[in-house]
Amino acid sequence: AKSDGRNHFAVYTAELSAEHDEHLAFEADMREAIRTGQFQLAYQPIYNPRSGSVTLVEALLRWEHPTRGHISPATFIPVAERTGLIRVLGAWTIETAARAALTWPRNVGVSVNVSARQFESDHDLVAVVAAILRRTGLQPRRLTLEITESTLIEDAPHIIDSLMRLRTMGVRIALDDFGTGYSSLSYLVKLPIDIIKIDKSFSHEIEVSRKVNALMAAITDLAHQLGLLIIVEGVETEPQLAAMRRFSLHGIQGFIFARPMWDDELLSIIKERVPS
Ligand code: C2E
Ligand code: CA
Ligand code: CA
Ligand code: CA
């Protein structure tokens, strides 16, 4: 039994150290990728169903590795978060998105995802954003930062303070993936946010689930009373779109309109109108 235990331990440490080596290699790869410009941003338009035009565009990170090929953000974002590289990568993302937005019509804003680690007090995301706005000259109103509920749970007082400072600057805050984690309607009353992004699982169930319909009705009603904007994401089909259009929404995002695309394709799409 004793030697068994030792073996387990040996296997365990070998696995851990292999995993550790892999993380180090991945981290080194990411540093190299940032340095050599392997990261790019894809942009997905969000339509305003009232005007039938694009008023906001979400920036999404893409990594094309020279030998590993395409690596999904679902794979590299958690590693970037664990290693702290998300700070450099995140700042690059905000600045690149801001510069892209400057080439679009002035009524179109850009929305950038930010991770909890970018709010840690020794980083000062507020200063990073302020410096980017100053350098690029982008109107703060045209920048939206998307956070998730899990971000808010981590270090609430400090993060809420940062969000309030960002909003004072004129930057808008969106609560992403709403309806997944610990969503509670009382959050919407308390938090310094401007926009709620309803998770794509709602879009995927809206035609079939009475519960989801009831939730959508309740959330949109509350949002209007609180002066919050509502965006739904992940709308893929005509029936989903028709079901979602019954609610009073400020933005609809999903494959039905457009997939994430490169900046050079975006401009012609932004100018197209969809029937409202
Ligand atoms: P997210 O913020 O919820 O982004 C929406 C995801 O849904 C994107 O996946 C987008 O391509 C996908 N999507 C858009 N329309 C549809 C649709 O109609 N149907 C379906 N099924 N999916 C749709 P993507 O680009 O793979 O990003 C995955 C996640 O990675 C994002 O989820 C976000 O959490 C994270 N991420 C991406 N870029 C960044 C970034 O710059 N910073 C941070 N912190 N996270 C990022
Ligand atoms: Ca998002
Ligand atoms: Ca989302
Ligand atoms: Ca998500």
Side-chain angles (χ1 to χ4, degrees):
K2 226 181 196 170
S3 69
D4 243 347
R6 250 204 312 271
N7 278 341
H8 279 306
F9 184 70
V11 169
Y12 185 58
T13 46
E15 264 172 18
L16 265 191
S17 91
E19 197 177 295
H20 182 70
D21 287 352
E22 215 183 290
H23 279 172
L24 286 181
F26 207 95
E27 184 180 345
D29 267 22
M30 282 191 66
R31 283 189 190 279
E32 172 78 5
I34 294 171
R35 217 174 42 77
T36 61
Q38 292 166 28
F39 284 104
Q40 278 187 286
L41 293 184
Y43 298 94
Q44 187 178 30
I46 302 171
Y47 286 85
N48 181 330
R50 293 154 190 230
S51 62
S53 57
V54 176
T55 47
L56 190 63
V57 172
E58 181 173 5
L60 294 157
L61 264 169
R62 294 291 177 261
W63 184 6
E64 193 63 34
H65 189 278
T67 55
R68 296 188 209 214
H70 176 79
I71 304 175
S72 157
T75 306
F76 68 77
I77 295 286
V79 181
E81 288 173 343
R82 235 173 1 243
T83 55
L85 274 177
I86 194 70
R87 296 169 170 198
V88 188
L89 192 55
W92 177 87
T93 301
I94 297 167
E95 178 139 8
T96 305
R99 292 194 186 282
L102 286 173
T103 69
W104 308 336
R106 262 195 297 209
N107 63 320
V108 182
V110 70
S111 199
V112 180
N113 296 284
V114 291
S115 301
R117 287 213 63 180
Q118 291 173 262
F119 284 94
E120 282 173 0
S121 42
D122 58 335
H123 178 57
D124 202 355
L125 181 68
V126 182
V128 169
V129 170
I132 289 171
L133 291 174
R134 207 164 38 236
R135 270 202 299 279
T136 61
L138 185 75
Q139 260 185 307
R141 284 312 277 167
R142 294 182 66 192
L143 178 65
T144 297
L145 298 180
E146 299 191 8
I147 56 163
T148 59
E149 288 159 298
S150 55
T151 300
L152 293 164
I153 287 162
E154 299 220 354
D155 175 11
H158 165 68
I159 290 180
I160 287 170
D161 177 63
S162 297
L163 295 179
M164 293 196 314
R165 286 161 62 209
L166 286 163
R167 286 181 85 212
T168 303
M169 282 164 42
V171 173
R172 296 194 297 179
I173 307 296
L175 188 57
D176 200 3
D177 299 346
F178 185 81
T180 53
Y182 306 88
S183 305
S184 129
L185 291 181
S186 67
Y187 262 164
L188 301 181
V189 185
K190 278 186 278 186
L191 293 175
I193 54 170
D194 305 281
I195 302 170
I196 303 168
K197 289 191 81 175
I198 311 263
D199 189 65
K200 39 180 169 290
S201 58
F202 281 62
S203 299
H204 299 164
E205 288 167 41
I206 193 75
E207 314 154 67
V208 292
S209 165
R210 288 186 59 186
K211 243 190 216 164
V212 167
N213 270 277
L215 272 169
M216 276 299 295
I219 295 167
T220 50
D221 191 45
L222 182 62
H224 290 305
Q225 296 193 42
L226 296 174
L228 299 170
L229 305 183
I230 294 228
I231 295 174
V232 295
E233 61 178 8
V235 176
E236 296 176 349
T237 67
E238 286 293 347
Q240 289 170 1
L241 181 61
M244 279 301 189
R245 278 193 193 278
R246 291 202 308 268
F247 301 99
S248 171
L249 304 171
H250 305 88
I252 302 180
Q253 179 179 9
F255 296 164
I256 182 93
F257 289 133
R259 294 186 172 254
M261 62 186 82
W262 300 126
D263 192 19
D264 54 2
E265 306 163 75
L266 186 70
L267 213 52
S268 64
I269 299 275
I270 282 182
K271 289 178 180 152
E272 269 172 33
R273 295 184 145 264
V274 293
S276 35

